[in-house]
Amino acid sequence: MATKKKAKKAVKKVAKKKVAKKKVAKAKTKRKPNPAFMKPMKISSALATVVGDKPLPRTEVTKRLWQYIKKNKLQDKVNRRNINADANLRVVFGGKGTVSMFEMTKLVNKHLS
């Protein structure tokens, strides 16, 4: 009985060694940003009060918007996906007091041209 258990363990060890072969690493290529997102956009006067008035790419507008939200503590404490607008953001959000972060990007795009 004891010899059968030892034999089974030996077979399992051999099987594990065969399975654990070296995996070939894929060559990593650096991800290229989409040029459409990197194009500087004209910013409306309402949005300029929050992110600045220079033309910026969409990605930079989003970064600066989040900096403004975090600096002024406008993210909802209970539901962190919601943004509570102050006077400047209320104009950008079309008069809405609370906006989800997903809806925010849609509303901000209206202020970019």
Side-chain angles (χ1 to χ4, degrees):
M1 189 82 138
T3 56
K4 284 185 179 180
K5 284 184 181 180
K6 287 182 182 179
K8 282 186 180 181
K9 281 185 182 181
V11 170
K12 284 183 181 180
K13 284 183 183 179
V14 171
K16 283 183 183 179
K17 286 181 182 178
K18 287 182 181 178
V19 172
K21 290 183 179 180
K22 291 183 182 179
K23 293 182 180 179
V24 179
K26 293 182 182 178
K28 290 189 178 183
T29 57
K30 192 168 182 178
R31 206 173 139 196
K32 296 176 188 171
N34 187 340
F37 288 117
M38 303 314 286
K39 178 184 168 194
M41 305 290 287
K42 224 186 283 184
I43 297 172
S44 72
S45 59
L47 186 59
T49 60
V50 178
V51 297
D53 58 350
K54 292 181 184 176
L56 296 170
R58 291 175 193 269
T59 54
E60 188 63 31
V61 170
T62 305
K63 283 180 189 177
R64 290 191 183 186
L65 197 58
W66 273 106
Q67 286 173 349
Y68 180 83
I69 289 167
K70 295 203 183 223
K71 182 178 111 183
N72 294 310
K73 298 179 180 162
L74 300 175
Q75 199 169 5
D76 193 58
K77 302 242 185 288
V78 177
N79 188 354
R80 310 262 314 150
R81 289 181 289 189
N82 288 340
I83 309 301
N84 298 322
D86 63 352
N88 292 333
L89 282 181
R90 195 175 294 260
V91 176
V92 174
F93 295 160
K96 293 184 177 182
T98 303
V99 174
S100 74
M101 63 176 64
F102 304 108
E103 188 180 3
M104 176 185 73
T105 55
K106 184 173 84 172
L107 294 170
V108 168
N109 281 337
K110 293 178 182 176
H111 294 275
L112 300 174
S113 59

